[in-house]
Amino acid sequence: MREKSENLIGILLMLGAMAAFAIEDTFIKILSEGMGTGQILVIIGVGGFAIFGVIAWQKGDRLFTKDLLLPAVLLRNFGEILGTSGYVLAVVLTPLSSASAILQATPLAVALGAALFLGHTVGWRRWLAIIVGFSGVMIVIRPGLDGFQPASLFAVQGVIGLSIRDLATRAMPSRVTSMVLSAYGFGVVVPAGLFMMLFEGPAVFPDTVQSYYIAAALIVGPVGYYMIVAAMRVGEVAVVTPFRYVRLVFAMLLGVIVFNEVLDFWTLVGASIIIGSGLFTIYREQQARKQA
């Protein structure tokens, strides 16, 4: 009975985390209507680094050590820059629903990278699921067709970068804590944002409404992070992980309600294929662990 209640709490925490991330994306897209993408990245990077840096400091963790130069840390930070900048650009330049749909392919890309670079064993069923999942991405993007938006490739960049980040995290020494990694992840986005600002013109001083959106984004992001960490600790991974895909549902709802987006048929088909493939990959991975 206790196990069931813990799993229920874990599921609720995961749902809350996914809602928080979708809301954060919504605030970013709203801010982009009067502010450059580079400036948004700088603000979020500075704010997130400050929040997680303070938390790490309170826990007794040191931020600036030689660990910052470890190959795994450098690779993770590179993936963070590539992934975050790509996904934020996709959120800003394309419908929130399609950007979020493509992002759902990240677990498939991680499974592919683990097989190719970390020596993980992947059976033919999971290989097939990965291929089918990426075909879903192609359906959402629709290259060469009338519905193709070149900016949607930024979401693919986001998937590649975030997959690199997640794979590098697996190779991280245990002494480098999650709070320190999170602070690094936000901090390295700042130079990327400053570089983008060189091509965007002068920065805009946030007005009162924009300041509220910035503050809200800086609150819901870390809250979502805490909830996802708590969810994975409280509930069983196999039970809780599939609910990551609910983020797409929240993103679609917010896209329709806030931005008047129209959910076209092929985006829904592609998103369904991506999610179905991801869920099957999770299931097969859990089966493989049980048999090991």
Side-chain angles (χ1 to χ4, degrees), residues 46-56 218-219 222 226:
V46 171
F49 178 81
I51 291 170
F52 285 107
V54 168
I55 294 173
L218 291 175
I219 291 172
Y226 264 120

Side-chain angles (χ1 to χ4, degrees), residues 109-177:
V110 171
L112 176 63
L116 295 177
F117 303 112
L118 299 181
H120 289 199
T121 302
V122 175
W124 69 268
R125 293 181 181 85
R126 271 191 284 173
W127 277 117
L128 182 60
I130 291 170
I131 294 171
V132 171
F134 285 135
S135 72
V137 173
M138 298 301 289
I139 291 173
V140 174
I141 297 175
R142 298 191 289 281
L145 300 178
D146 292 338
F148 173 59
Q149 297 184 29
S152 63
L153 295 177
F154 283 122
V156 177
Q157 174 189 325
V159 170
I160 295 171
L162 296 178
S163 300
I164 292 173
R165 179 200 66 183
D166 291 349
L167 288 168
T169 302
R170 298 187 181 191
M172 204 68 60
S174 57
R175 66 177 180 273
V176 185
T177 66

